[in-house]
Amino acid sequence: MVDAPTADRWIPLLAAASDRYEAVSVGDADPEAVQVAVVWLHEPGSLRRYPNLSLVHSLGHGVELILGDEGLPDVAVARLVDPGIPAAIARWTTR
């Protein structure tokens, strides 16, 4: 399940990368079927809806918003690691 403002771009990429999981938007997700949530700026507490969730993957470089979610279930949390992100953030913040 993808819950992000850019879900329409991520869903085809994730679907092409794995035949093990079905990539769907948050609005199309069956809560019982969701095992992995790929998120960016998700609604706090929204991850409680997924009883079979085992992994929350951030589409961002950090996981502060995920870990700060008081409704976060006891699941693994992962983040993107891209050596180009710090330089991109620096360019964006110094415009």
Side-chain angles (χ1 to χ4, degrees):
M1 181 273 298
V2 181
D3 185 1
T6 56
D8 59 330
R9 287 187 266 166
W10 282 100
I11 289 172
L13 296 171
L14 293 168
S18 174
D19 57 0
R20 182 175 175 191
Y21 296 103
E22 179 183 7
V24 297
S25 71
V26 66
D28 295 330
D30 171 1
E32 295 288 328
V34 173
Q35 297 173 8
V36 177
V38 178
V39 301
W40 178 247
L41 302 175
H42 72 289
E43 178 185 329
S46 63
L47 298 172
R48 283 187 225 152
R49 290 181 235 167
Y50 309 105
N52 297 310
L53 189 65
S54 61
L55 171 67
V56 177
H57 195 294
S58 174
L59 285 173
H61 199 59
V63 294
E64 296 83 9
L65 293 175
I66 295 170
L67 296 177
D69 181 350
E70 294 181 9
L72 179 67
D74 185 20
V75 298
V77 176
R79 67 181 177 94
L80 289 177
V81 177
D82 180 341
I85 289 179
I89 291 172
R91 282 193 305 275
W92 183 78
T93 59
T94 58
R95 293 196 247 180

